Amino acid sequence: MRIVLLGAPGAGKGTVAKSLTEFDGSVQISTGDILRNAVKAGSELGKKAKGYMERGELVPDDLIMDIMEVRMKEPDCQKGFLLDGFPRTIPQAEALKKLLEKIGIKLDAAINLDVPTDVILDRLTTRRTCSNPDCQEIYNIKSKPPKPDGTCFKCGSPAVQRADETEEAIKQRLATYNEKTAPLIDFYKKEGLLKTISSLSSQEIVEEVKAAVKK
Ligand code: AMP
């Protein structure tokens, strides 16, 4: 499947994308994960992105498009892709549209995960992420805790709170979402690709996405 996952931070895009990769072998492409890995590796990209990310602001569109133009042309994308956290602005959505036209690929759908703000806030403050860049399993101290010693069940690395999951950064990320990313809902409605899902259970969301893509 070839889909864009839309939704505020904490709406469940990452969790849903991971489950969907197990379904049909489509690859999850998370610009957030790519950027966090670049920051950890101390690469040029990481150095440029770090400040924006810590403040809960968006990284400039040209940096994101440089990454995505390369990533979307890699052979593993031919099976399908789940875009998680990209596009995040109208210029990114326009650039993605052009890029897909150039490589002759059509999106199946843009899935909007519509989750109430109180649920988002609770999820983000209780979220923990495996610190191993090759794992990045997502936990929640209430609903899916890591091991009692705080490490990841999958790889044993510490599951930690992300630097951008402090209350201050979360508020900024939600404001950024409302200003810059929410307009994409209308963009994809006009493209005839939008499907909004209001369910809060990732299992139910996965089933609804599969049904939407089959149609
Ligand atoms: P995420 O894990 O998707 O919430 O992304 C974490 C942070 O990475 C965001 O708060 C932004 O600073 C940055 N980021 C991720 N994806 C994008 C994007 N498509 N455009 C701009 N910034 C991004």
Side-chain angles (χ1 to χ4, degrees):
M1 61 179 80
R2 297 182 172 106
I3 63 172
V4 165
L5 284 164
L6 295 174
K13 300 184 296 294
T15 308
V16 166
K18 273 204 181 86
S19 300
L20 287 167
T21 58
E22 284 156 27
F23 164 63
D24 74 348
S26 302
V27 286
Q28 174 190 11
I29 304 179
S30 156
T31 39
D33 285 350
I34 295 172
L35 293 167
R36 275 185 289 280
N37 290 341
V39 170
K40 264 203 193 107
S43 68
E44 272 314 301
L45 169 67
K47 283 180 201 151
K48 286 182 189 154
K50 192 168 188 267
Y52 297 102
M53 294 174 76
E54 283 176 354
R55 291 189 296 275
E57 293 168 12
L58 292 182
V59 171
D61 290 335
D62 54 347
L63 271 188
I64 297 292
M65 288 319 301
D66 285 351
I67 302 171
M68 290 306 288
E69 291 218 2
V70 174
R71 184 65 188 92
M72 302 277 311
K73 288 178 186 157
E74 281 172 18
D76 61 347
C77 290
Q78 293 196 342
K79 271 194 184 169
F81 48 77
L82 307 148
L83 301 182
D84 158 16
F86 169 85
R88 242 359 193 258
T89 63
I90 295 283
Q92 289 181 19
E94 303 271 16
L96 172 67
K97 190 177 167 187
K98 276 205 193 108
L99 176 63
L100 291 176
E101 277 166 8
K102 199 161 89 187
I103 52 183
I105 286 176
K106 277 206 167 74
L107 286 176
D108 294 318
I111 308 287
N112 176 32
L113 304 183
D114 187 21
V115 178
T117 309
D118 54 333
V119 177
I120 296 266
L121 283 173
D122 184 62
R123 278 189 192 164
L124 287 178
T125 48
T126 53
R127 183 150 84 175
R128 300 292 179 269
T129 307
C130 175
S131 55
N132 172 359
D134 295 327
C135 177
Q136 307 202 45
E137 182 72 1
I138 296 166
Y139 293 95
N140 181 290
I141 51 175
K142 290 187 192 162
S143 59
K144 186 193 167 197
K147 283 191 208 164
D149 66 355
T151 57
C152 173
F153 278 104
K154 281 199 170 162
C155 75
S157 303
V160 297
Q161 189 165 28
R162 280 169 31 182
D164 63 354
E165 284 173 356
T166 61
E167 216 177 304
E168 202 51 36
I170 288 169
K171 275 193 197 140
Q172 181 56 49
R173 285 166 70 199
L174 289 176
T176 304
Y177 169 78
N178 286 326
E179 186 196 342
K180 303 264 173 64
T181 310
L184 295 188
I185 296 172
D186 235 36
F187 177 94
Y188 283 111
K189 198 187 271 172
K190 286 187 189 133
E191 295 281 309
L193 289 169
L194 187 74
K195 158 96 182 145
T196 294
I197 299 182
S198 302
S199 167
L200 297 183
S201 136
S202 55
Q203 212 41 53
E204 274 176 37
I205 298 171
V206 166
E207 292 311 318
E208 286 190 49
V209 173
K210 286 184 195 168
V213 170
K214 257 190 221 148
K215 270 182 202 158

